[in-house]
Amino acid sequence: FSLLLKNISTRTFMKKFLSFLLFLSLCFSYSQDSILTKSKVANAISELRDFVAIPNDALNADDIDSNLFWLRKKFTERGFNSSILDTEGLPLFFAALPMDDSKPTILFYMHLDGQSVDPKKWDQPDPYKVVLKSKTEDGWKTEPFSDLSDDINYDWRLFGRSTSDDKGPIVMFLNAIDILKKENINIPYNVKVILDSEEEKSSAPLPKAVRTYKDLLKADFLVINDGPVHVSGKPTIVYGCRGITTLSLTTYGPIKPQHSGHYGNYAPNPGFQLAQLLATMKDSEGKVLIKGYYDGIALDEATLNILKSVPDNANEINANLAISSPEKVGSFYQESLQYPSLNIRGLGSGWIGEQARTIVPATATAELDLRLVPESDGNRLKTLVKEHIKQQGYHVMSTIPTKEERLKYGHIVTVQEGSVTDAFRTDLNNPYGNSILKTLENKFGEKPVQIRIMGGTVPISPFINELKIPAFIVPMVNPDNNQHSPNENLKIGQIAYGIKLFYALLSTEM
């Protein structure tokens, strides 16, 4: 009996001792991981400041050339082979690690260009010189970068153009590669990177460029690192994004503005014509009335469950928008994004405000954007809109009417069409998507937010159409980053998040 008791005690002791060793090992591993990550965050901040200091307005080709030079240097330092790919517009940047035919290939897409800036609207002298700030009760307080030397406050933010959209993720990627190399991790993928230089101006050259460089870009799946994580701050994977096309509608009154006293009640008012025409396109709840606009869209129960799993808060969304109730295209926010939209993005006629004049305007113009989903073809929707306009009694033209045409037709609309950027959506059960989902959950210890399709547009359809590969958006940056706006910023904690995320994606075998 005493011998048995002794054996039990020994076994118990050994179990506890082994558990203690495992605990120490995990603590040491976590400590090393934490130290290494903070070290790379500090390095990433330094590199990001250098990168942001190079203006990147896609409207200025010289800006893009300077950014390409910086990128080539930084990727080469990490062992990548890089190329500048000529297009009909500005060049693309391509980089790849040495290839191994036995491995699947992952292609990362990001962009190096940024929105134009109006320095007068920024709370810093130069939007291209990064400023470090902390949150206070009254707003933001500028902090010296020297205060980051001993420790890094992950709640502080870096303010500057393209810190989050999209130079931040590029720098996160580079620093994750540093850690993988330092730890001698055998990356289980071939790694390719394509960086767009005209994303902020619709990436018009991209479809032809992808066709031209199809063999170079060949991959098994595509990961897009652009845009913010879900507003909850949780790890996020997005399976698609809406496309976009545009229409410009102009109606006509007198051939030039006329005195409203002399000709009011006589000369047709193009502003009223346009308002009445637009009003026929939607009902009072925001649903498009144009026949066939929503054709082909069906949401089954499994899809609705995925949409409902996104932790949106309708009250918070409405409060942020300052609206009492949303439109009724879908019964909740995520469902609304599954349908094509018809949006008036601008209206103009005559003069307003202090410049208002007592005239009957000569013209009125509405600028429309149509957000697309995979079930809706942009050219088809534009045709439906034009047919609807004809049914309202208008003569539809693509040019400005002559005087003879004005005298012939009572109601004229000039319609100018924009190009089409297609939507994309990857199946939620795709094995590469499942692998990314599992990797995110294992790395961050919580179930990621799965978004079936996001409202914005990323020009990814050329890759899907030409390379025939699935695509996933894995965003990195904070949701309140002011992208495209003054005071764009990146939360330092998101830099750590992005480095860890890239590390996890590139070190986890599918």
Side-chain angles (χ1 to χ4, degrees):
F1 178 78
S2 61
L3 183 61
L4 179 62
L5 183 62
K6 182 179 179 181
N7 288 340
I8 291 173
S9 299
T10 301
R11 286 198 298 271
T12 302
F13 171 78
M14 288 302 297
K15 284 182 179 180
K16 289 184 177 181
F17 181 68
L18 289 172
S19 297
F20 178 68
L21 288 178
L22 179 61
F23 173 75
L24 286 179
S25 173
L26 290 172
C27 286
F28 178 75
S29 175
Y30 176 80
S31 176
Q32 288 290 93
D33 177 65
S34 177
I35 291 170
L36 192 55
T37 300
K38 284 212 167 188
S39 163
K40 295 314 296 179
V41 169
N43 187 71
I45 291 171
S46 177
E47 284 194 311
L48 186 57
R49 292 174 68 189
D50 289 342
F51 197 12
V52 169
I54 307 170
N56 63 338
D57 191 335
L59 301 177
N60 187 336
D62 290 340
D63 282 3
I64 299 305
D65 285 343
S66 299
N67 280 271
L68 292 172
F69 179 82
W70 189 93
L71 287 164
R72 192 158 205 171
K73 177 178 182 293
K74 292 296 181 177
F75 273 83
T76 300
E77 289 173 356
R78 270 82 177 193
F80 284 82
N81 299 311
S82 65
S83 302
I84 307 300
L85 308 182
D86 290 330
T87 74
E88 290 184 342
L90 297 175
L92 300 167
F93 178 84
F94 174 80
L97 290 174
M99 300 290 289
D100 179 344
D101 291 341
S102 67
K103 297 178 180 180
T105 300
I106 178 172
L107 174 63
F108 289 99
Y109 169 94
M110 291 170 272
H111 66 92
L112 61 106
D113 63 318
Q115 287 279 327
S116 301
V117 299
D118 181 353
K120 297 188 297 294
K121 295 184 178 179
W122 285 68
D123 296 333
Q124 61 197 69
D126 185 348
Y128 293 113
K129 290 186 178 178
V130 175
V131 175
L132 177 67
K133 296 184 180 182
S134 61
K135 183 74 171 174
T136 68
E137 291 183 2
D138 301 324
W140 294 97
K141 175 189 173 186
T142 300
E143 303 285 354
F145 278 97
S146 59
D147 283 3
L148 292 177
S149 57
D150 296 328
D151 199 4
I152 297 176
N153 189 324
Y154 278 8
D155 289 327
W156 288 4
R157 302 198 184 193
L158 304 171
F159 283 76
R161 173 55 82 225
S162 297
T163 49
S164 62
D165 185 28
D166 191 30
K167 288 186 172 182
I170 295 171
V171 171
M172 296 173 203
F173 174 85
L174 291 170
N175 281 270
I177 293 292
D178 289 342
I179 300 177
L180 290 162
K181 286 184 172 295
K182 183 178 179 63
E183 295 185 351
N184 294 315
I185 299 296
N186 179 29
I187 299 175
Y189 303 101
N190 294 311
V191 180
K192 296 181 179 180
V193 180
I194 185 76
L195 303 181
D196 196 348
S197 57
E198 293 192 60
E199 195 273 348
E200 299 294 7
K201 50 184 281 194
S202 81
S203 298
L206 193 59
K208 185 175 180 180
V210 174
R211 286 195 296 274
T212 301
Y213 300 108
K214 183 175 179 178
D215 292 340
L216 186 66
L217 298 171
K218 184 179 178 182
D220 292 282
F221 65 110
L222 173 68
V223 174
I224 304 106
N225 304 111
D226 191 11
V229 299
H230 184 261
V231 68
S232 65
K234 293 177 180 290
T236 306
I237 178 171
V238 183
Y239 295 84
C241 67
R242 293 201 287 186
I244 190 171
T245 190
T246 59
L247 289 171
S248 178
L249 313 180
T250 299
T251 54
Y252 299 89
I255 200 163
K256 55 186 175 183
Q258 298 294 328
H259 190 291
S260 64
H262 298 320
Y263 289 99
N265 289 346
Y266 189 83
N269 188 300
F272 274 109
Q273 287 184 359
L274 185 59
Q276 290 160 357
L277 175 60
L278 294 171
T280 67
M281 297 183 184
K282 277 191 171 186
D283 66 17
S284 60
E285 294 185 323
K287 295 178 182 176
V288 175
L289 296 171
I290 298 169
K291 187 176 180 181
Y293 203 83
Y294 298 136
D295 282 0
I297 299 168
L299 304 175
D300 58 24
E301 186 176 352
T303 299
L304 285 170
N305 287 337
I306 287 289
L307 300 178
K308 290 174 181 176
S309 73
V310 178
D312 292 328
N313 185 311
N315 291 332
E316 287 184 6
I317 295 173
N318 294 351
N320 289 337
L321 298 177
I323 58 174
S324 60
S325 59
E327 293 185 330
K328 299 299 186 287
V329 184
S331 57
F332 56 98
Y333 176 66
Q334 292 297 327
E335 186 181 3
S336 74
L337 300 180
Q338 313 308 307
Y339 296 88
S341 69
L342 179 61
N343 177 58
I344 300 172
R345 60 178 181 163
L347 280 170
S349 183
W351 293 265
I352 61 172
E354 293 181 358
Q355 287 78 41
R357 305 177 188 183
T358 52
I359 51 95
V360 178
T363 63
T365 299
E367 299 288 350
L368 310 182
D369 64 56
L370 292 66
R371 294 286 177 171
L372 313 172
V373 295
E375 293 83 358
S376 61
D377 175 79
N379 290 314
R380 174 180 171 273
L381 292 192
K382 287 189 291 187
T383 299
L384 291 179
V385 173
K386 289 187 290 184
E387 288 300 319
H388 176 84
I389 292 171
K390 290 178 183 177
Q391 291 168 11
Q392 309 312 306
Y394 283 84
H395 177 66
V396 176
M397 303 182 62
S398 60
T399 58
I400 298 172
T402 64
K403 186 172 182 179
E404 290 72 24
E405 287 166 330
R406 287 170 178 268
L407 292 171
K408 182 177 180 180
Y409 300 104
H411 294 80
I412 299 175
V413 172
T414 294
V415 179
Q416 295 181 320
E417 301 183 30
S419 60
V420 175
T421 299
D422 292 328
F424 88 89
R425 188 178 62 238
T426 300
D427 192 298
L428 272 72
N429 291 317
N430 181 277
Y432 288 110
N434 290 338
S435 177
I436 294 171
L437 187 69
K438 185 178 179 181
T439 298
L440 289 174
E441 187 169 358
N442 290 341
K443 184 65 178 179
F444 298 104
E446 58 181 325
K447 191 172 180 60
V449 176
Q450 293 177 269
I451 297 177
R452 185 177 187 245
I453 195 166
M454 71 178 192
T457 300
V458 182
I460 296 306
S461 56
F463 295 97
I464 296 166
N465 296 336
E466 293 297 329
L467 304 181
K468 309 299 182 187
I469 57 175
F472 310 91
I473 301 173
V474 184
M476 305 283 188
V477 304
N478 41 294
D480 56 346
N481 66 76
N482 293 338
Q483 74 184 78
H484 293 192
S485 301
N487 302 317
E488 179 180 348
N489 66 84
L490 176 61
K491 191 175 180 180
I492 291 177
Q494 294 301 133
I495 298 177
Y497 170 82
I499 292 172
K500 291 177 182 178
L501 198 158
F502 276 124
Y503 179 95
L505 288 177
L506 290 172
S507 61
T508 305
E509 193 167 356
M510 183 180 168

